[in-house]
Amino acid sequence: DSVLAVDSLTGSTVWDNPTEGFVDSTPTYYAVDQVVFCGSDDFRVYALHAASGNQKWNTSTGDVVYSSPTVDGDRQSVYIGSNSNGLYSMNTETGEIKWVFYTTDNVQSKPAVGSGTSSHLVYAGSWDGFLYAVHADTGALQWKRLLSPPPWDPDDTGTGIDASPTLTPAGDIVFIGSYNRYLYALDAVDGKVRWKSYCGAGPEGVRSSATVSADGSLVYVGSSDGYLYSFFVADGSLNWKASCTSTDFATPYGVRSTPALSPSGEEIYVGSDDGYLYAFSTGADTTPTTPAEEYARYCGKGDHPHDCRALVELAQATDYTKWVYNDKWLNGKDSLCDWQLVGCNKAGRVKILALSFNNMKGTLPSSIGGLSELEDLDLEFNLMQGALPATLSNLRVIEMGLGGNNFTGAVPTDICNIPATSGPACALDTNVFDCPLPDCIVDNCAAVCR
């Protein structure tokens, strides 16, 4: 509940300025005026003299301030968000509010000021799922882009932006992460999406703010799946990803901190929720050498690699952290045969998946076809969507329940090769597929099309 200044050499306290609430906002130092700006849970934005900590001014926003301030020296403005749903511009000298732009939810990300062709714009994300660009002088909306649509329920992963926007040195592209697990690159002037890149199936998506290399060719961001990602700015393709979970832990810990590049640009540093600080070479490819190594970290020793990959991808694609029954899933210690609602045969291969009524929200991954010894697939009455993968036809299940979901699109052309489709132990009802449908699933699985 205070802002502290400490000696960089000794760590001793130089001054301590108390506020009337916790300080979750990161202070920003403005060298021109030698002032520190900071927000507080007491609803206020503070300007403090850097040398003494004495207060210069404070201004109320009407609600908690988690956002961190950004200073625009050319305009003598400090920009900051608030849980009042507003993005504020305040005079750096007096704290007078110049303008407020209101979104429809909390603004917790740190605003960013454009440069070059975007120098007239200020950017901020909101928990309403939009990235906003407003005019720096007036606060007038220039564009907004919905990047993370609200979900069906407030606890569902997929809504909100609290990461902070970051621009290229040229000011032509703005980057921002979202709870829907993507890093977005947008045209800074008109807001059109240039590309989006998937950052793993972490439970909280991308809360880390991006960092761009000095030459503007690479962008780095952390994700709640426990990895630091490096993408090429030109097209969003993956350069490398690096695990930020210590070997002390079996399951991945998220990365919410903002990566920091060394002065040379040859190293990058990032903190992880596992309590460690990591340093990586920016040029090193730190991706596991094989897909099997990537998935094996979630399974038990001796688990079949195809079974491991299929179940890991199914869990990640349907946000297993929100399932009703997920005991031991992806804990990196127990055999997948011991995972809740999974049954195996004597050879240790997956035989039964009984995951009905389990709050599964997402798509069915193509790796499901790798469960070569699966006999019973039951995913009924969840919230799964999208098309059935073509690899589903590789299964030799004698019981298949996919009804009670929201699957759409064309069914796999060889779906009648699945033994379950020739008898009564097949359910595809309530899904709406593209017409025409094979007779086998119309007659035996209650499938319908439009």
Side-chain angles (χ1 to χ4, degrees):
D1 56 356
S2 63
V3 183
L4 297 174
V6 299
D7 189 290
S8 61
L9 297 178
T10 66
S12 60
T13 300
V14 177
W15 53 257
D16 181 346
N17 187 293
T19 70
E20 296 179 19
F22 290 111
V23 177
D24 295 292
S25 170
T26 301
T28 297
Y29 174 60
Y30 182 40
V32 173
D33 290 347
Q34 296 186 5
V35 172
V36 174
F37 298 99
C38 191
S40 171
D41 289 8
D42 66 7
F43 303 0
R44 298 182 179 91
V45 178
Y46 289 85
L48 308 173
H49 292 285
S52 64
N54 293 333
Q55 188 177 134
K56 184 174 183 179
W57 54 258
N58 77 75
T59 300
S60 177
T61 66
D63 210 323
V64 173
V65 181
Y66 292 137
S67 172
S68 300
T70 296
V71 178
D72 182 350
D74 292 338
R75 294 181 174 86
Q76 289 191 310
S77 295
V78 57
Y79 308 108
I80 197 166
S82 169
N83 279 17
S84 68
N85 303 346
L87 170 62
Y88 290 76
S89 172
M90 301 177 183
N91 185 288
T92 54
E93 280 295 316
T94 65
E96 178 186 0
I97 296 175
K98 294 184 175 182
W99 52 255
V100 186
F101 174 80
Y102 285 103
T103 72
T104 59
D105 211 329
N106 300 337
V107 180
Q108 297 180 358
S109 75
K110 178 179 180 177
V113 181
S115 60
T117 57
S118 64
S119 60
H120 61 296
L121 298 176
V122 178
Y123 306 88
S126 169
W127 274 98
D128 62 13
F130 282 90
L131 174 64
Y132 292 88
V134 302
H135 201 288
D137 293 325
T138 64
L141 178 66
Q142 303 301 292
W143 56 260
K144 65 179 182 178
R145 185 69 60 192
L146 181 62
L147 302 179
S148 189
W152 295 284
D153 64 81
D155 295 324
D156 182 28
T157 297
T159 185
I161 297 173
D162 67 349
S164 301
T166 305
L167 286 99
T168 55
D172 58 334
I173 302 174
V174 57
F175 303 95
I176 196 159
S178 169
Y179 254 62
N180 70 358
R181 301 171 176 141
Y182 284 90
L183 174 69
Y184 288 86
L186 301 95
D187 187 285
V189 176
D190 61 23
K192 292 180 179 178
V193 177
R194 295 196 177 189
W195 52 258
K196 63 177 184 178
S197 294
Y198 187 62
C199 296
E204 294 185 326
V206 182
R207 300 185 70 181
S208 167
S209 301
T211 295
V212 183
S213 62
D215 63 2
S217 64
L218 294 169
V219 58
Y220 306 91
V221 72
S223 175
S224 62
D225 73 341
Y227 281 88
L228 173 66
Y229 288 81
S230 171
F231 295 106
F232 290 102
V233 168
D235 59 6
S237 59
L238 181 67
N239 179 29
W240 53 256
K241 66 177 184 177
S243 174
C244 296
T245 298
S246 166
T247 54
D248 295 346
F249 304 98
T251 55
Y253 278 69
V255 177
R256 287 183 287 181
S257 69
T258 301
L261 285 162
S262 65
S264 67
E266 295 178 354
E267 294 87 30
I268 190 162
Y269 312 96
V270 70
S272 169
D273 285 359
D274 70 359
Y276 285 84
L277 176 66
Y278 291 82
F280 300 102
S281 167
T282 54
D285 184 352
T286 53
T287 308
T289 56
T290 67
E293 291 179 359
E294 164 67 10
Y295 298 105
R297 65 196 289 247
Y298 298 100
C299 301
K301 293 181 179 179
D303 285 336
H304 193 282
H306 291 172
D307 291 359
C308 177
R309 177 171 184 169
L311 266 60
V312 169
E313 290 194 345
L314 175 64
Q316 292 178 336
T318 57
D319 196 1
Y320 76 100
T321 62
K322 305 290 176 60
W323 289 1
V324 179
Y325 309 104
N326 62 3
D327 187 42
K328 297 185 180 179
W329 277 72
L330 276 63
N331 67 9
K333 298 182 295 183
D334 292 289
S335 167
L336 52 80
C337 296
D338 296 323
W339 295 0
Q340 195 169 17
L341 305 181
V342 177
C344 291
N345 58 25
K346 292 181 180 179
R349 297 295 306 277
V350 175
K351 179 182 179 180
I352 300 171
L353 279 180
L355 297 169
S356 60
F357 296 97
N358 202 30
N359 196 39
M360 300 173 72
K361 302 176 182 180
T363 58
L364 190 60
S366 60
S367 55
I368 197 74
L371 297 173
S372 58
E373 299 194 26
L374 186 67
E375 296 181 10
D376 184 352
L377 175 63
D378 185 2
L379 303 176
E380 289 193 277
F381 300 103
N382 284 291
L383 294 168
M384 301 188 69
Q385 58 189 351
L388 297 177
T391 54
L392 188 70
S393 299
N394 296 337
L395 297 179
R396 292 297 173 261
V397 295
I398 56 177
E399 296 184 46
M400 183 172 70
L402 300 177
N405 286 286
N406 299 304
F407 290 115
T408 56
V411 299
T413 55
D414 297 327
I415 196 169
C416 292
N417 290 343
I418 301 174
T421 62
S422 62
C426 178
L428 292 172
D429 52 298
T430 75
N431 304 294
V432 182
F433 300 105
D434 292 347
C435 294
L437 294 177
D439 290 341
C440 70
I441 62 171
V442 174
D443 298 338
N444 301 318
C445 307
V448 296
C449 67
R450 61 182 176 187

